[in-house]
Structures are given as structure tokens and as C-alpha cells.
Amino acid sequence: VQALLNRYWDHKRRMVEARLGRSVRWLDVVKTLASWLSNHQTLSAPVDVLDVVMADAQAMASEHVLVIEGNSCRFFHESVFDYVFARTFVAEGGTVMRLLKGDEQHLFRRGQVRQILTYNRDRAFDEYLADLKSLLKN
């Protein structure tokens, strides 16, 4: 699954860049949306969250990465949100314990925890083991 999501990320990014005829602000769009969704523990956000990168977000919607309907936007599938969140969170040094200690542990966090562990298992096995050890101890 991780390999498929990695390929999806790369393929869709190239498709959006081809559509726009320029470099896309991919990371800005996905990180902004994923962070907002995570902070609010929901799967859709007000479209104005992406105002600064709207042209790129609309191109991403045309390539079926995002869904923009009326005044809301979301990733086309929850598994893509979980993957994007894990990838960007881990890239910034995030750990499972930091995520869980940051606020209440609602059911929403389950998919994120699973995806962070899965992402790190394939990316950096030592970080995965450290996260797992920390979870079991705490």
C-alpha cells in the first residue's frame, strides 16, 4: 500500500504540473489541508483554507487528488489524507507520541497513528521501532 501511495503522490504531482504548465505548490496545498483536517479532526475543510494556493488546489481537484464542492474541500479518499498527513508530519520530525500527547485521543487519531507507523516502518525502521516502543511504554 505504501509503495502504491508513494507512486500515486509522484504521478499525480507530475499530472498537475503538466496541467498547469509550471511547478505546482503541491506540498503547500497538501500540507495546509492535511494540517487543518488533523487539527479539527474532520475529513473536510472550508475551501477558504486553500485561498493562498487556490489555483493549484483547483488543478489538483481536476486531477482527482482533491474534491472541491461548494464551500468545502477534502482529499479524494480518506486513505490519501492519512498518507499525506503521515508523510508531512514525519518529514517535520513528528512522532506518534507527539501526536497523541498534543490533544485528546479521539477515534479520529486511529487512522493517523496507523499510517504514521506504517509510513515509518517502510521509510525508517529505527524510527518505527522507537515510536512503537514509546507507545507501548506510555
Side-chain angles (χ1 to χ4, degrees):
V1 173
Q2 286 303 110
L4 179 63
L5 287 167
N6 286 334
R7 286 181 26 218
Y8 174 85
W9 174 286
D10 294 338
H11 175 73
K12 286 299 187 174
R13 184 177 184 154
R14 285 191 305 273
M15 297 297 292
V16 173
E17 286 180 348
R19 177 178 289 277
L20 290 172
R22 63 171 171 78
S23 181
V24 63
R25 294 177 61 188
W26 180 273
L27 197 55
D28 292 336
V29 174
V30 298
K31 199 164 135 182
T32 298
L33 183 56
S35 293
W36 195 96
L37 296 175
S38 179
N39 290 340
H40 292 83
Q41 297 188 29
T42 187
L43 295 175
S44 65
V47 74
D48 63 3
V49 167
L50 298 174
D51 275 351
V52 175
V53 289
M54 187 51 70
D56 295 63
Q58 288 172 331
M60 291 169 77
S62 294
E63 290 297 331
H64 309 290
V65 176
L66 305 178
V67 175
I68 299 174
E69 295 175 325
N71 293 324
S72 70
C73 61
R74 60 182 168 82
F75 288 98
F76 97 95
H77 195 273
E78 185 177 350
S79 63
V80 174
F81 161 63
D82 289 337
Y83 171 79
V84 167
F85 175 78
R87 183 171 173 151
T88 57
F89 184 75
V90 167
E92 293 180 341
T95 64
V96 170
M97 289 311 297
R98 187 178 114 207
L99 175 68
L100 294 176
K101 287 183 176 183
D103 62 7
E104 293 183 41
Q105 297 175 24
H106 294 289
L107 188 58
F108 185 86
R109 295 284 181 231
R110 182 179 68 181
Q112 293 177 304
V113 168
R114 183 179 59 249
Q115 188 62 42
I116 290 168
L117 290 171
T118 302
Y119 184 77
N120 260 346
R121 185 183 64 220
D122 294 340
R123 175 187 166 268
F125 196 71
D126 289 342
E127 289 179 32
Y128 163 75
L129 291 177
D131 268 347
L132 207 50
K133 183 178 179 180
S134 181
L135 274 174
L136 293 172
K137 284 186 169 186
N138 289 296

